């Protein structure tokens, strides 16, 4: 154990690392961070301080940022934490979690101050200090610390009872797991879990690419992420935390909000800034207007400001009315609106082929931001609001992120204006754009041949969980795409024919070209489920790909069956729908994808370049490992990690990446280290690769 503890955080600055050193360094960091994660998540006994741990993660992130193509499949940036499998249990808040009353105008703020003075019976000349803070739009949680250790995290719920989201909360780096000794023995810090505006956009891009849920705004994304049952998913979401209030405490923290904020900072919490101590309505208004002007540059969503009586003894006297304290008020932002003209309506094609109508507007200032485009969401929205080219419209910046058209000023509509006709074909590639029943979006079926989708699909094709071609990361695909070297999946495997061109490219030498071509050769062999996943079919993530692979067993059977499908009521469709876990919506996406001739051609071409190995048959319910939890560690010689995992899953096991007391078997391959040691400590059955193969081959 002490060996890992003493590993230095790495002395060479990330920007000075050579690619090969970066590979080694990322491997070392992955191992070390995994060790500390296990210590923290499974034993609740961190071996290093939060700051040291953060430094390791920051270094890992900095190196990955410089070398995106070297990001490991087991990178700490991808997964942290232990999985939880049960639904959330409930936690009763020691003190109810209240909400805030709203002020929508200066008059409301004046009323708040007057009422406070009256209630406290303070003379006119008595100064009432008020702490003004930004009102962040996220999800409120309570963090309970006992003896300076985080014991739980709970959502607000109905105010008296919330959900136990401890496992997810523990994956948030900004939430201290331990507090300094001067923190009270019982301390409940309350605050907001949120996702920044830029991380929200990145997250949605990833979600769209992986066929996951695309969130409407950062608040929904934060709420959805903290309520994930699998904490390894929450861990991958860019959640952050601001502390701004408290619940039960064993001793009073301090006598003013200002001092308590300072304590929170001392104890390692992040606070929303700028906060200003004010004492008049004018000062509050100056603060409010300042926040409005800063709003576009504040990295997270705000929906107002919050004013809190600074003196805690006054707060206590004021108490609460219904579900809000009398000592605080939220001064909400008005929706920012403006009038402008729709110059054009254009269709954008997203990376997953979704057609989104966008209005090009006459640029207009909306609350300090120049807006020249507004989303029209989908074709129904255009019809519902009857938005046409040339219309005068009212626009609004909603939730601080995407400007929207609120309404058309019909009186000012041009005489010759015409209704907008939504195209049935993709404006980028001409393929059919289909709208499934019950869905609002129309999607291009062009797949690989659509330039809007092609490059992203190729990035997905070569990614770790797909063809896993080392050294062919996002930037290289972009470069090769622009140079016309790769345009279809098959092109990737024909790059060897372009070795000369590659050698002449900037940044490429004999060694690097050789290495790249070698990894492409290695990548030619792929298992069926990774192959299906690699195709990047909407809604077909790894799990669905696995189901299809188990069901069909071979690429021939899969493609033969799907190509035979010509309409949504064919026999093969019925067969598909009968696969447990595959609903009609996925079937429609599958058939739309495979029915496009371009996609059929691209797949046929790809198949001629690669070797897709058959999958194993149905999940067995009477295998010796049915229902067991298995962890693979070290490198397996007989089969790739993905295949080993798939095989175990077919036999009904659950494959986990972290060792815990719930682990039944650890299969230790070559070079197994920390996990193997941990397994020994916990007395878990350890199998060699050979033992494992023998064990699962039992009749
Ligand atoms: S103080 C008694 N301060 O806004 C309630 N709340 O609309 C103590 N919020 O439930 C809350 N920023 O989730 C406080 N600086 C801030 C806040 C803030 C956002 C949230 C909080 C609250 C909601 C009310």
């Amino acid at each position: 154990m002490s060996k890992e503890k003493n590993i230095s955080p790495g002395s060479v600055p990330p920007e000075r690392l050579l690619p090969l050193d970066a590979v080694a360094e990322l491997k070392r960091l992955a191992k070390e961070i995994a060790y500390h994660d296990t210590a923290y998540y499974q034993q609740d006994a961190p071996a290093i301080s939060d700051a040291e741990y953060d430094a390791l993660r920051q270094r890992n992130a900095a190196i990955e940022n410089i070398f995106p193509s070297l990001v490991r499949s087991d990178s700490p940036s991808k997964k942290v934490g232990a999985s939880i499998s049960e639904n959330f249990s409930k936690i009763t808040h020691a003190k109810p979690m209240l909400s805030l009353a709203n002020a929508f105008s200066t008059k409301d703020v004046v009323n708040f101050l007057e009422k406070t003075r009256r209630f406290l019976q303070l003379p006119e000349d008595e100064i009432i200090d008020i702490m003004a803070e930004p009102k962040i739009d996220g999800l409120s949680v309570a963090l309970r610390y006992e003896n300076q250790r985080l014991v739980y995290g709970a959502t607000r719920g109905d105010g008296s009872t919330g959900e136990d989201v401890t496992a997810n909360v523990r994956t948030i780096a900004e939430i201290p797991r331990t507090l300094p000794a001067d923190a009270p023995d019982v301390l409940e810090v309350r605050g907001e879990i949120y996702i920044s505006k830029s991380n929200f956009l990145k997250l949605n891009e990833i979600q769209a690419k992986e066929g996951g849920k695309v969130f409407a705004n950062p608040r929904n994304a934060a709420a959805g992420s903290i309520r994930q049952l699998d904490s390894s998913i929450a861990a991958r979401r860019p959640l952050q935390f601001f502390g701004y209030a408290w619940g039960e405490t064993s001793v009073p923290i301090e006598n003013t909000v200002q001092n308590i904020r300072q304590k929170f900072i001392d104890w390692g919490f992040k606070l929303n800034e700028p906060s200003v101590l004010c004492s008049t309505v004018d000062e509050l208004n100056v603060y409010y207007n300042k926040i409005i002007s800063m709003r576009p540059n504040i990295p997270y969503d705000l929906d107002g400001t919050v004013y809190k009586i600074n003196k805690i003894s006054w707060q206590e006297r004021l108490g609460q009315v219904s579900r809000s304290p009398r000592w605080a008020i939220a001064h909400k932002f008005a929706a920012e609106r403006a009038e402008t003209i729709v110059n054009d309506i254009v269709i954008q094609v997203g990376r997953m082929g979704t057609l989104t109508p966008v209005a090009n507007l006459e640029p207009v200032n909306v609350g300090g931001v120049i807006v020249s485009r507004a989303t029209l969401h989908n074709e129904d929205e255009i019809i519902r609001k009857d938005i046409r080219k040339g219309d005068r419209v009212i626009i609004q910046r909603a939730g601080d992120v995407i400007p929207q058209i609120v309404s058309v000023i019909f009186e000012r509509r041009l005489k010759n204006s015409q209704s907008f006709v939504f195209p049935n074909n993709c404006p980028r590639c001409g393929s059919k754009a289909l709208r499934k029943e019950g869905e609002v979006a129309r999607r291009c079926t062009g797949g690989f041949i659509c330039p809007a989708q092609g490059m992203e699909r190729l990035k997905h094709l070569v990614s770790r969980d797909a063809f896993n071609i080392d050294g062919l990361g996002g930037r290289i695909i972009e470069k090769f795409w622009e140079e016309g070297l790769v345009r279809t999946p098959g092109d990737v495997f024909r790059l060897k024919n372009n070795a000369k061109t590659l050698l002449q490219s900037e940044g490429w030498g004999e060694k690097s070209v050789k290495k790249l071509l070698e990894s492409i050769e290695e990548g030619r062999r792929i298992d069926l489920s990774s192959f299906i996943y690699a195709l990047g079919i909407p809604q077909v993530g790894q799990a669905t790909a696995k189901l299809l692979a188990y069901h069909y067993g071979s690429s021939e059977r899969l493609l033969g069956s799907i190509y035979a499908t010509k309409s949504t009521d064919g026999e093969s469709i019925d067969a598909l729908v009968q696969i447990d876990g595959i609903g009609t919506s996925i079937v429609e996406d599958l058939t739309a994808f495979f029915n496009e001739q371009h996609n059929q051609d691209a797949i046929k071409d790809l198949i001629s370049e690669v070797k897709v190995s058959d999958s194993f048959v149905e999940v067995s319910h009477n295998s010796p490992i049915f229902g067991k939890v298995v962890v693979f560690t070290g490198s397996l010689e007989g089969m790739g990690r993905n295949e080993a995992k798939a095989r175990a899953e077919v036999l009904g096991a659950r494959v986990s990446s972290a060792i815990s007391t719930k682990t039944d078997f650890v299969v230790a391959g070559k070079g197994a280290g920390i996990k193997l040691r941990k397994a020994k400590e916990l007395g878990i059955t350890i199998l060699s690769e050979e033992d494992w193969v023998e064990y699962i081959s039992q009749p």
Side-chain angles (χ1 to χ4, degrees), residues 359-379:
N360 281 340
L361 305 169
E362 192 58 35
V364 61
N365 186 328
V366 193
V369 176
I370 302 295
V371 172
S372 56
R373 286 158 85 75
T375 176
L376 297 172
H377 300 288
N378 51 57
E379 52 187 307

Side-chain angles (χ1 to χ4, degrees), residues 94-95 144-145 184-189 245-254 260 264 267 316:
K95 285 189 173 179
R144 188 176 176 93
Y145 292 84
D185 289 345
V186 174
L187 170 68
E188 206 188 290
V189 173
W246 57 96
E248 191 184 8
T249 59
S250 49
V251 286
I253 308 174
E254 273 289 348
I260 293 177
F264 277 10
W267 293 335
E316 281 162 1

Side-chain angles (χ1 to χ4, degrees), residues 98-100 133-136 140 156 192 244 272 306 308 325:
L98 303 176
S99 185
L100 291 172
E133 299 171 1
K135 181 171 180 331
I136 175 159
S140 51
R156 178 164 67 183
E192 206 86 346
Y244 51 63
N272 35 348
V306 181
K308 300 172 181 174

Side-chain angles (χ1 to χ4, degrees), residues 199-212:
N199 278 333
F200 163 71
L201 296 176
K202 278 189 224 153
L203 171 64
N204 262 357
E205 253 179 47
I206 297 170
Q207 291 290 100
K209 197 162 143 194
E210 294 181 350

Side-chain angles (χ1 to χ4, degrees), residues 143-145 150 174-180 183 187-191 241-245 260-272:
L143 308 172
R144 188 176 176 93
Y145 292 84
L150 177 66
E174 283 186 354
I175 293 184
R177 294 129 198 192
T178 55
L179 299 180
L187 170 68
E188 206 188 290
V189 173
R190 293 178 176 179
F241 177 78
F242 279 132
Y244 51 63
I260 293 177
R261 283 179 66 91
Q262 187 52 48
K263 279 281 174 208
F264 277 10
I265 294 171
D266 297 345
W267 293 335
F269 293 96
K270 295 251 159 62
L271 268 57
N272 35 348

